[in-house]
Amino acid sequence: MKRFLTIMVFAVLLFGCQPSTFVISKGTKAYYFGRESKSLQRLLCDSGDLKRILRDATIPEHLKEGFYIYVCTENRSEQKVISLYQFLTPEERKSLKRAFIRHGYTVNYVPC
C-alpha cells in the first residue's frame, strides 16, 4: 500500500506540474492557449482575434510574432507556445490575459 501511494504521489508531481499556459473560453468552448486545435485556430486566427489581442498586450514584439507563428501558421506547436509563455514576466502574463479579456474572452474559466 505504501508503495502504491508513493507511486501515485510521484505521478501527480510528474504529470500535474507540467508547464502550461492558461485556459481561454468564448461562448461554450474552452481551450488551453496554444493547444493545437482546428477549432481554436478558427476562433483565434481565422477571426483575426489573436492579431488584435497580441497588438494590445504589453509583451516584447519578438514574442508576439512567435505566439502568432506557433498558434496560427502551419508551424503550430503547443510546446513552443508554452516555452514562449514561460519566458514572459508575471506582468507580461497579466497583460496577455487582460488583452484576451478586453477582446471578449474569459480567462481560466471553463463554461458548463
Side-chain angles (χ1 to χ4, degrees):
M1 183 67 171
K2 247 184 187 180
R3 184 174 183 198
F4 175 76
L5 289 175
T6 303
I7 291 171
M8 289 304 295
V9 167
F10 179 73
V12 167
L13 290 174
L14 180 65
F15 297 110
C17 297
Q18 290 181 356
S20 183
T21 56
F22 52 94
V23 176
I24 57 169
S25 58
K26 194 169 194 179
T28 60
K29 302 281 186 171
Y31 309 89
Y32 273 100
F33 175 59
R35 179 97 8 118
E36 294 179 46
S37 161
K38 293 275 187 199
S39 299
L40 182 59
Q41 187 173 18
R42 279 192 300 276
L43 182 66
L44 292 176
C45 307
D46 296 351
S47 69
D49 280 357
L50 187 59
K51 282 185 179 182
R52 289 186 290 275
I53 290 164
L54 292 172
R55 191 177 318 122
D56 287 353
T58 308
I59 60 176
E61 290 299 320
H62 70 281
L63 294 178
K64 290 179 182 182
E65 183 179 326
F67 280 125
Y68 185 81
I69 289 169
Y70 298 128
V71 172
C72 292
T73 70
E74 65 278 350
N75 295 321
R76 279 192 313 262
S77 171
E78 180 179 354
Q79 292 305 314
K80 289 183 180 179
V81 171
I82 290 169
S83 179
L84 290 174
Y85 186 72
Q86 297 303 314
F87 279 107
L88 296 177
T89 67
E91 282 304 312
E92 291 168 339
R93 289 179 185 188
K94 286 179 189 174
S95 175
L96 181 58
K97 291 174 187 177
R98 286 182 191 131
F100 270 99
I101 292 167
R102 281 192 301 274
H103 289 275
Y105 289 81
T106 304
V107 172
N108 290 331
Y109 174 78
V110 178
C112 295

